Amino acid sequence: MLRLAVLFCFLCSPAFAGGTADPSALKNLVHQDCGSCHGLTLKGGLGPDIRPDALSHYDIDTLSEVVLDGIPGTAMPPWRPLMSEADAKNIAEYLLQGEDK
Ligand code: HEC
């Protein structure tokens, strides 16, 4: 049940309401919404470390699919209902690139 409550909370997140085209909104989304499981600095929490070094085995396309479809059977949710493929690609790019380089 906690998981459901957490998911509903994402729907009211301002980042989704405002769309994710703006890069700083994208960054907020990743740190707040993904950060609720992966840690605010993305170094891991309930979910694993998703900083660039931890994701170096992914390419952008595979990574954006993980974001869109989640990982079935785990707490990693599918984000497809909440974002476009372009958003997911931007997020994948951001995750692989890391913080403000
Ligand atoms: C409800 C908790 C939760 C949220 C929210 C969440 N994740 Fe996850 N995520 C997980 C868990 C748990 C795993 C590990 C699944 C497993 O056991 O393989 C995971 C795995 C991943 C992986 C795979 C890591 C690897 O090394 O293979 C990526 C990438 C990822 N998440 C990205 C994201 C992104 C980007 C967001 C935000 C759009 C996000 N996650 C939001 C729980 C979450």
Short mmCIF file of all heavy atoms in Angstrom, two decimals, residues 1-12 33 36-38 46-47 69-79 82:
data_model
loop_
_atom_site.label_atom_id
_atom_site.label_comp_id
_atom_site.label_asym_id
_atom_site.label_seq_id
_atom_site.Cartn_x
_atom_site.Cartn_y
_atom_site.Cartn_z
N MET A 1 0.83 -1.21 0.00
CA MET A 1 0.00 0.00 0.00
C MET A 1 0.86 1.26 0.00
O MET A 1 0.54 2.22 -0.66
CB MET A 1 -0.92 0.02 1.24
CG MET A 1 -2.21 -0.76 1.04
SD MET A 1 -2.93 -0.63 -0.58
CE MET A 1 -3.65 1.01 -0.53
N LEU A 2 1.96 1.21 0.71
CA LEU A 2 2.83 2.38 0.76
C LEU A 2 3.25 2.75 -0.65
O LEU A 2 3.29 3.91 -1.02
CB LEU A 2 4.06 2.06 1.62
CG LEU A 2 5.07 3.21 1.69
CD1 LEU A 2 4.42 4.39 2.42
CD2 LEU A 2 6.33 2.79 2.43
N ARG A 3 3.54 1.73 -1.44
CA ARG A 3 4.00 1.98 -2.80
C ARG A 3 2.97 2.75 -3.60
O ARG A 3 3.30 3.65 -4.34
CB ARG A 3 4.27 0.64 -3.46
CG ARG A 3 5.65 0.57 -4.05
CD ARG A 3 5.98 -0.83 -4.41
NE ARG A 3 5.57 -1.10 -5.77
CZ ARG A 3 5.56 -2.33 -6.27
NH1 ARG A 3 5.91 -3.35 -5.55
NH2 ARG A 3 5.19 -2.51 -7.51
N LEU A 4 1.71 2.36 -3.46
CA LEU A 4 0.65 3.05 -4.17
C LEU A 4 0.57 4.50 -3.75
O LEU A 4 0.47 5.40 -4.59
CB LEU A 4 -0.69 2.39 -3.85
CG LEU A 4 -1.25 1.50 -4.94
CD1 LEU A 4 -2.64 1.03 -4.55
CD2 LEU A 4 -1.29 2.25 -6.27
N ALA A 5 0.66 4.72 -2.46
CA ALA A 5 0.58 6.09 -1.94
C ALA A 5 1.72 6.91 -2.53
O ALA A 5 1.54 8.05 -2.95
CB ALA A 5 0.65 6.09 -0.42
N VAL A 6 2.89 6.31 -2.59
CA VAL A 6 4.05 7.01 -3.13
C VAL A 6 3.79 7.37 -4.60
O VAL A 6 4.04 8.48 -5.04
CB VAL A 6 5.31 6.14 -2.99
CG1 VAL A 6 6.47 6.75 -3.75
CG2 VAL A 6 5.69 5.98 -1.53
N LEU A 7 3.25 6.44 -5.34
CA LEU A 7 2.98 6.69 -6.76
C LEU A 7 1.99 7.83 -6.95
O LEU A 7 2.17 8.68 -7.80
CB LEU A 7 2.42 5.43 -7.42
CG LEU A 7 3.48 4.54 -8.04
CD1 LEU A 7 2.81 3.33 -8.66
CD2 LEU A 7 4.26 5.30 -9.11
N PHE A 8 0.93 7.83 -6.14
CA PHE A 8 -0.07 8.89 -6.28
C PHE A 8 0.56 10.24 -6.03
O PHE A 8 0.23 11.23 -6.65
CB PHE A 8 -1.25 8.67 -5.35
CG PHE A 8 -2.22 7.67 -5.89
CD1 PHE A 8 -2.63 6.58 -5.15
CD2 PHE A 8 -2.71 7.82 -7.19
CE1 PHE A 8 -3.51 5.65 -5.68
CE2 PHE A 8 -3.59 6.90 -7.72
CZ PHE A 8 -3.99 5.80 -6.97
N CYS A 9 1.49 10.25 -5.12
CA CYS A 9 2.14 11.50 -4.79
C CYS A 9 2.91 12.06 -5.97
O CYS A 9 2.97 13.26 -6.17
CB CYS A 9 3.03 11.27 -3.60
SG CYS A 9 3.83 12.75 -3.09
N PHE A 10 3.48 11.19 -6.80
CA PHE A 10 4.21 11.69 -7.98
C PHE A 10 3.30 12.47 -8.90
O PHE A 10 3.70 13.41 -9.55
CB PHE A 10 4.79 10.55 -8.80
CG PHE A 10 5.80 9.75 -8.05
CD1 PHE A 10 5.94 8.41 -8.28
CD2 PHE A 10 6.60 10.37 -7.10
CE1 PHE A 10 6.86 7.68 -7.59
CE2 PHE A 10 7.52 9.63 -6.40
CZ PHE A 10 7.65 8.29 -6.64
N LEU A 11 2.05 12.03 -8.98
CA LEU A 11 1.12 12.66 -9.91
C LEU A 11 0.90 14.12 -9.56
O LEU A 11 0.62 14.93 -10.42
CB LEU A 11 -0.23 11.92 -9.91
CG LEU A 11 -0.14 10.48 -10.43
CD1 LEU A 11 -1.46 9.76 -10.21
CD2 LEU A 11 0.22 10.47 -11.91
N CYS A 12 1.02 14.45 -8.28
CA CYS A 12 0.80 15.84 -7.91
C CYS A 12 2.10 16.63 -7.88
O CYS A 12 2.13 17.79 -7.50
CB CYS A 12 0.05 15.94 -6.59
SG CYS A 12 0.75 14.92 -5.31
N ASP A 33 11.64 13.01 -7.67
CA ASP A 33 10.78 11.84 -7.89
C ASP A 33 11.59 10.56 -7.95
O ASP A 33 11.20 9.56 -7.37
CB ASP A 33 9.94 12.03 -9.15
CG ASP A 33 8.94 13.18 -8.96
OD1 ASP A 33 8.56 13.43 -7.81
OD2 ASP A 33 8.57 13.80 -9.94
N SER A 36 13.27 9.95 -4.44
CA SER A 36 12.53 9.41 -3.31
C SER A 36 12.87 7.94 -3.10
O SER A 36 12.76 7.43 -1.99
CB SER A 36 11.03 9.62 -3.48
OG SER A 36 10.57 8.94 -4.62
N CYS A 37 13.29 7.26 -4.13
CA CYS A 37 13.74 5.87 -3.97
C CYS A 37 15.26 5.73 -4.13
O CYS A 37 15.89 4.93 -3.45
CB CYS A 37 13.09 4.95 -5.00
SG CYS A 37 11.36 4.60 -4.61
N HIS A 38 15.81 6.50 -5.04
CA HIS A 38 17.24 6.31 -5.35
C HIS A 38 18.14 7.23 -4.53
O HIS A 38 19.35 7.22 -4.71
CB HIS A 38 17.48 6.54 -6.85
CG HIS A 38 16.88 5.45 -7.70
ND1 HIS A 38 17.50 4.25 -7.92
CD2 HIS A 38 15.70 5.38 -8.35
CE1 HIS A 38 16.73 3.50 -8.69
NE2 HIS A 38 15.62 4.15 -8.96
N LEU A 46 16.26 2.95 -1.40
CA LEU A 46 15.48 1.75 -1.70
C LEU A 46 15.92 1.19 -3.05
O LEU A 46 16.11 0.00 -3.23
CB LEU A 46 13.99 2.11 -1.72
CG LEU A 46 13.05 1.03 -2.25
CD1 LEU A 46 13.03 -0.16 -1.31
CD2 LEU A 46 11.64 1.57 -2.42
N GLY A 47 16.10 2.09 -4.02
CA GLY A 47 16.61 1.68 -5.33
C GLY A 47 18.13 1.84 -5.34
O GLY A 47 18.69 2.51 -4.48
N ASP A 69 9.51 1.72 -18.81
CA ASP A 69 8.81 0.48 -18.50
C ASP A 69 9.04 -0.01 -17.08
O ASP A 69 8.39 -0.96 -16.66
CB ASP A 69 9.21 -0.61 -19.50
CG ASP A 69 8.74 -0.24 -20.91
OD1 ASP A 69 7.68 0.41 -21.04
OD2 ASP A 69 9.43 -0.58 -21.88
N GLY A 70 9.97 0.58 -16.38
CA GLY A 70 10.26 0.12 -15.03
C GLY A 70 10.94 -1.25 -15.08
O GLY A 70 11.33 -1.71 -16.15
N ILE A 71 11.09 -1.87 -13.91
CA ILE A 71 11.67 -3.21 -13.86
C ILE A 71 10.62 -4.10 -13.21
O ILE A 71 10.40 -4.02 -12.01
CB ILE A 71 13.00 -3.21 -13.08
CG1 ILE A 71 13.96 -2.22 -13.74
CG2 ILE A 71 13.60 -4.62 -13.05
CD1 ILE A 71 15.32 -2.13 -13.09
N PRO A 72 9.93 -4.89 -14.05
CA PRO A 72 8.81 -5.70 -13.54
C PRO A 72 9.22 -6.56 -12.35
O PRO A 72 10.34 -7.10 -12.34
CB PRO A 72 8.44 -6.58 -14.74
CG PRO A 72 8.95 -5.84 -15.94
CD PRO A 72 10.19 -5.11 -15.47
N GLY A 73 8.35 -6.67 -11.38
CA GLY A 73 8.62 -7.50 -10.22
C GLY A 73 9.46 -6.78 -9.16
O GLY A 73 9.79 -7.37 -8.15
N THR A 74 9.82 -5.52 -9.41
CA THR A 74 10.56 -4.75 -8.42
C THR A 74 9.80 -3.46 -8.12
O THR A 74 8.79 -3.17 -8.76
CB THR A 74 11.97 -4.37 -8.92
OG1 THR A 74 11.86 -3.28 -9.84
CG2 THR A 74 12.67 -5.55 -9.59
N ALA A 75 10.34 -2.67 -7.21
CA ALA A 75 9.69 -1.41 -6.85
C ALA A 75 9.92 -0.33 -7.91
O ALA A 75 9.37 0.75 -7.82
CB ALA A 75 10.18 -0.93 -5.50
N MET A 76 10.77 -0.61 -8.90
CA MET A 76 11.03 0.39 -9.94
C MET A 76 9.81 0.49 -10.85
O MET A 76 9.49 -0.43 -11.58
CB MET A 76 12.28 -0.01 -10.74
CG MET A 76 12.57 0.88 -11.94
SD MET A 76 12.88 2.60 -11.47
CE MET A 76 12.83 3.37 -13.10
N PRO A 77 9.08 1.62 -10.76
CA PRO A 77 7.81 1.74 -11.48
C PRO A 77 8.00 2.14 -12.94
O PRO A 77 9.02 2.75 -13.27
CB PRO A 77 7.08 2.85 -10.72
CG PRO A 77 8.19 3.74 -10.22
CD PRO A 77 9.39 2.84 -9.99
N PRO A 78 7.03 1.83 -13.81
CA PRO A 78 7.07 2.34 -15.18
C PRO A 78 6.63 3.80 -15.18
O PRO A 78 5.67 4.16 -14.52
CB PRO A 78 6.05 1.47 -15.92
CG PRO A 78 5.12 0.97 -14.87
CD PRO A 78 5.87 0.97 -13.56
N TRP A 79 7.35 4.63 -15.92
CA TRP A 79 7.02 6.07 -15.96
C TRP A 79 6.29 6.46 -17.22
O TRP A 79 5.92 7.61 -17.41
CB TRP A 79 8.31 6.87 -15.80
CG TRP A 79 8.89 6.68 -14.43
CD1 TRP A 79 9.73 5.67 -14.05
CD2 TRP A 79 8.66 7.47 -13.27
NE1 TRP A 79 10.01 5.79 -12.71
CE2 TRP A 79 9.38 6.89 -12.21
CE3 TRP A 79 7.89 8.63 -13.02
CZ2 TRP A 79 9.36 7.41 -10.91
CZ3 TRP A 79 7.89 9.15 -11.74
CH2 TRP A 79 8.61 8.54 -10.70
N LEU A 82 3.41 8.77 -17.31
CA LEU A 82 3.63 10.11 -16.79
C LEU A 82 4.57 10.96 -17.65
O LEU A 82 4.73 12.14 -17.40
CB LEU A 82 4.22 10.02 -15.38
CG LEU A 82 3.35 9.31 -14.35
CD1 LEU A 82 4.08 9.18 -13.03
CD2 LEU A 82 2.05 10.08 -14.16
#
